[in-house]
Amino acid sequence: MARARQERAEITRQAILDGAAIAFDRSGFGSTSLSDVVKHAGVTKGALYFHFPSKEALARTLMEEQFQVAEGVPAIVDPGLQTAIDLSHQMAHGLRTNVRIRAAIRLVVEFGSFTDPDPTPYNAWIETSFSCLKPAQDRGDVLPHLDARDLATYLIASFTGVQVTSHVRTTREDLHTRVTDLWNFLLPGITPGPRIPLFDPAGSPECRAALGLPAPDSPSVPVG
């Protein structure tokens, strides 16, 4: 019986998070009410408060989920520059196909809506990028005079701007193309010339296959 109650509670919790993601993705933090969340989740306010004491608690839980994309990095034997490229496309794919990731990233961008802006999400992504770029530098794929942590910071700032612009202009229809552009422009400034051809700005073949993306010379990028 206890296990059944726990399972029902977890189903309700996930429904609340799904409903919150829909609401936050559509309206942002400031314009979303708990009534909106309840409506989209199909639960009572009592059930919502049982799992989450406030709207901010809901938002922070969704923000924490964005790190799912990076969970596999520690398990990669030799993370490097292509890993960082593939991660950026994985996040782009998540933004196009997963409302919970979209909501999480919107909440991070709207961090000013919170009483105390929290840099933790940005710092975590910078650390993930650094964990790819530093080994790349050690093996000669990133120019030795560059500060790998500064480069990771710049990369996250650039991706954030690219995805916001893509969202406003095309509702992210062109996001993979714009991320590919980011790497096409960035690689000549950070990678020794002879090593640039080793990396695919559009994502590795394995990454594209996993995400259902076409080859780089294909005319369009479908939503997976």
Side-chain angles (χ1 to χ4, degrees):
M1 288 291 290
R3 182 174 180 179
R5 285 197 298 270
Q6 290 174 352
E7 290 176 351
R8 287 195 298 271
E10 182 58 24
I11 290 171
T12 299
R13 182 178 182 275
Q14 293 303 320
I16 292 168
L17 288 171
D18 287 340
I22 293 170
F24 287 137
D25 181 46
R26 291 182 180 178
S27 304
F29 181 79
S31 298
T32 293
S33 68
L34 289 178
S35 295
D36 296 326
V37 174
V38 166
K39 175 184 175 182
H40 290 296
V43 301
T44 66
K45 272 197 175 180
L48 188 154
Y49 281 117
F50 177 81
H51 291 279
F52 300 98
S54 66
K55 184 172 72 168
E56 184 166 332
L58 263 172
R60 291 192 182 280
T61 299
L62 286 169
M63 288 165 64
E64 290 168 2
E65 285 193 348
Q66 68 169 307
F67 303 119
Q68 290 176 352
V69 170
E71 284 178 352
V73 173
I76 296 173
V77 176
D78 292 309
L81 191 51
Q82 190 64 53
T83 313
I85 295 170
D86 289 353
L87 281 172
S88 67
H89 282 286
Q90 288 173 34
M91 178 55 77
H93 181 75
L95 283 165
R96 299 189 68 216
T97 62
N98 188 319
V99 68
R100 280 166 73 155
I101 291 178
R102 284 198 302 274
I105 297 302
R106 176 166 183 167
L107 290 165
V108 170
V109 172
E110 294 179 352
F111 70 95
S113 298
F114 296 96
T115 303
D116 298 308
D118 183 5
T120 301
Y122 290 102
N123 291 340
W125 268 108
I126 290 168
E127 193 61 34
T128 296
S129 296
F130 177 76
S131 72
C132 299
L133 296 173
K134 186 61 173 71
Q137 188 175 49
D138 292 342
R139 68 173 63 104
D141 294 333
V142 172
L143 294 169
H145 68 276
L146 297 177
D147 185 300
R149 195 171 297 279
D150 287 346
L151 177 57
T153 303
Y154 178 78
L155 174 60
I156 296 308
S158 299
F159 179 88
T160 301
V162 164
Q163 74 88 8
V164 169
T165 303
S166 176
H167 171 59
V168 172
R169 294 183 65 245
T170 70
T171 60
R172 297 193 180 98
E173 285 296 320
D174 69 344
L175 184 51
H176 284 287
T177 300
R178 300 287 77 84
V179 171
T180 300
D181 288 345
L182 184 158
W183 287 105
N184 275 322
F185 291 129
L186 187 60
L187 284 174
I190 69 170
T191 301
R195 300 191 69 80
I196 292 176
L198 299 176
F199 307 103
D200 193 335
S204 66
E206 296 80 8
C207 174
R208 293 197 299 270
L211 301 181
L213 300 176
D217 57 352
S218 296
S220 63
V221 177
V223 175

